[in-house]
Amino acid sequence: MARIDFSGYRDVLRATGAPWFTLAGWVARFPRGTLSLGIILLVQTATGSFALAGAVGAAFVVGMAFAGPLWSRIMDRRGQRSVLLISAGTLTVSVSALLWAVLSATPVATWFFLAVIAGAVSVDVGPAVRARWNALVPPTQRHSAFALESIADESVFVIAPPVLTFIAAASAPQAGIAVVVLVGAVGLVWLGLLSRSQPPLVPASGRRVRLIPPVGILPVTIAWIGVGAMFGSFDVTSIAWAERSGTPWLAGVMMASLAVGNTAGALVYGALRPRASLRSRWLWSSAALAVACLALPVAADGALALLVAAVVGALVGPVLVTGFALVESRADRDRVTELLAYPSLGVGAGIPIGSTVAGLGLDAAGPALGFTVMAVSCVAILVFGVVGELLLSMRSPEASVRTS
């Protein structure tokens, strides 16, 4: 039976520069964690369409996700400092251009183009920080380190969405976006300047550049299309749910409910010392999440949705922690930062699916259908994961051994 031991967090925070790069990485996550919501609010306010708002927000995430492995590859080869500093400037400029395009009512096609560009220049901070943990702590402590990163990921959603929605409701969506970008730029610069904790550069080899990831990380990457669809549908549906109640700022509270549950789930899970294999833990946590999500459509029309969202969030935490740990255990040692970005690629591929389908459903039938899309997405995580692991186990005895 697994035991709970919170001392693991204390131990990993003793690593070189750990408290500082953890805090800097948390601040730098603000744009990636909330800009899609800000874009949805901006476009929905300008056009009145949830479907268009969700699609433009998804375009930002698509650019972010597909560029993520490229930036992570460059960080493996060239170091994190220059990439993070450049991203701080280019993100500010590109988001400013997107704001101008929407507020000036330029052709909608330019909104999509600029949203993709803004996403593409937004560096994925999560793999960069996880690569530092990978270089600084032994394998026995990475369970706690990766749990700490999942807590950082989700605690941003506890604070940033309410802040953004409060500012948007009190002033305008563009004001909330400006605050988020400013905070994120400060975090990117800060993290880039913390050079002592950066992982060592991977020496260039004479081998041909590998563009295809190892087959072992594909089950997680593909399954996390469902994670992206879940988050994408949840963002759009939260806004519609709050508007139906007559209090738009409650969208931030709804998102914070999911994030608070997620943070708590990751915190407790990171303190466990489970004996089961990583693969088993990942699949069982995915199954628990799939079952819990089925309650969301039932609770769609009342305040009970906040409680259900918190429970769902608590079960998302273990899925994210074990997913990243499984990818790290299967990653080539000279591509750790790059390969840790691939789950985000799956999320990025899923967000436009979830947000677009949910947006169409919301325009037609309201929040209940949006939450149904979210529930189906959670079931898809389990189905894709189980099928992927079965295919991987059948591929060869060697692959089967490595996936345990």
Side-chain angles (χ1 to χ4, degrees):
M1 186 174 180
R3 63 187 180 89
I4 298 178
D5 181 6
F6 287 98
S7 65
Y9 294 116
R10 178 196 61 205
D11 295 338
V12 297
L13 287 171
R14 290 173 176 168
T16 303
W20 298 114
F21 74 69
T22 300
L23 183 57
W26 180 77
V27 174
R29 282 171 163 88
F30 270 61
R32 289 181 66 92
T34 55
L35 267 183
S36 61
L37 169 63
I39 292 169
I40 290 171
L41 288 170
L42 179 71
V43 176
Q44 198 278 329
T45 300
T47 66
S49 171
F50 282 109
L52 179 59
V56 177
F60 169 80
V61 178
V62 167
M64 183 172 62
F66 281 88
L70 173 62
W71 289 122
S72 295
R73 176 187 287 270
I74 295 173
M75 283 191 277
D76 277 333
R77 299 293 186 270
R78 304 290 184 182
Q80 296 184 4
R81 183 187 182 100
S82 59
V83 173
L84 295 170
L85 295 180
I86 290 171
S87 178
T90 54
L91 178 64
T92 302
V93 172
S94 60
V95 171
S96 298
L98 176 60
L99 289 176
W100 169 82
V102 175
L103 296 175
S104 300
T106 62
V108 170
T110 63
W111 305 359
F112 284 94
F113 174 76
L114 291 172
V116 171
I117 296 299
V121 300
S122 177
V123 171
D124 193 348
V125 175
V129 180
R130 287 179 173 91
R132 296 187 187 219
W133 286 119
N134 183 73
L136 292 171
V137 303
T140 55
Q141 294 183 340
R142 288 175 193 161
H143 175 78
S144 296
F146 286 169
L148 197 62
E149 286 309 300
S150 289
I151 293 168
D153 284 333
E154 296 311 316
S155 61
V156 167
F157 287 96
V158 176
I159 296 175
V163 169
L164 190 150
T165 52
F166 283 141
I167 294 174
S171 177
Q174 57 267 33
I177 292 174
V179 170
V180 167
V181 170
L182 177 61
V183 171
V186 169
L188 287 165
V189 172
W190 184 10
L191 184 62
L193 295 177
L194 295 175
S195 56
R196 287 183 61 228
S197 59
Q198 290 187 29
L201 295 179
V202 178
S205 66
R207 291 186 297 175
R208 187 161 50 98
V209 174
R210 294 163 292 170
L211 298 177
I212 300 175
V215 69
I217 74 168
L218 293 180
V220 178
T221 301
I222 294 171
W224 278 21
I225 294 174
V227 174
M230 178 194 70
F231 284 130
S233 58
F234 182 72
D235 284 353
V236 180
T237 304
S238 295
I239 296 172
W241 175 84
E243 286 200 349
R244 171 170 284 193
S245 70
T247 48
W249 57 268
L250 277 178
V253 177
M254 171 64 82
M255 293 178 186
S257 295
L258 184 82
V260 167
N262 198 331
T263 302
L267 178 66
V268 173
Y269 184 76
L272 295 175
R273 295 295 175 263
R275 297 176 182 175
S277 68
L278 274 174
R279 178 167 62 180
S280 296
R281 283 182 267 156
W282 177 52
L283 294 178
W284 278 112
S285 59
S286 298
L289 174 63
V291 172
C293 265
L294 296 177
L296 271 173
V298 179
D301 291 326
L304 182 60
L306 292 170
L307 177 60
V308 177
V311 173
V312 168
L315 295 171
V316 171
V319 173
L320 299 179
V321 173
T322 53
F324 274 116
L326 192 60
V327 168
E328 187 277 333
S329 71
R330 298 172 177 177
D332 299 330
R333 294 302 93 188
D334 61 341
R335 302 174 69 190
V336 172
T337 310
E338 175 195 349
L339 297 180
L340 282 171
Y342 272 90
S344 296
L345 178 61
V347 172
I351 282 178
I353 298 173
S355 60
T356 302
V357 173
L360 292 170
L362 290 167
D363 286 342
L369 191 52
F371 283 128
T372 300
V373 174
M374 184 178 175
V376 171
S377 301
C378 290
V379 173
I381 300 170
L382 176 63
V383 172
F384 289 158
V386 170
V387 172
E389 292 297 333
L390 285 175
L391 292 174
L392 187 62
S393 297
M394 293 166 57
R395 182 172 175 266
S396 69
E398 292 79 8
S400 181
V401 170
R402 194 176 179 189
T403 61
S404 61

